[in-house]
Amino acid sequence: MFVGSATPVPGGAHVTVDRALADSSLAGGRLRRLRTLLANGRALAPRLAHEAARRAQPVPLVRRPR
């Protein structure tokens, strides 16, 4: 899945892709998927903050189990 814009042109559309939206994988076991998701959280935090600001929404609070 991608985030971007599409502009109609004769015979189709011109698509501009800004970035990929999904950064998680469904491969591997349940523990591996959870570990990968949590590890990617730090890298994705700036993107989440930017997207929330763009939508004029607060950044969601994710409560991790301890």
Side-chain angles (χ1 to χ4, degrees), residues 12-66:
H14 177 80
V15 177
T16 302
V17 176
D18 295 331
R19 64 185 178 278
L21 187 57
D23 281 11
S24 60
S25 173
L26 298 178
R30 177 185 271 176
L31 183 59
R32 180 177 174 193
R33 288 192 318 256
L34 179 60
R35 185 176 59 211
T36 302
L37 178 67
L38 293 176
N40 289 340
R42 285 191 184 130
L44 296 176
R47 183 186 298 177
L48 177 62
H50 173 77
E51 193 63 24
R54 186 182 73 79
R55 296 176 183 202
Q57 297 176 345
V59 176
L61 174 64
V62 177
R63 295 189 178 131
R64 296 182 186 175
R66 293 184 184 244

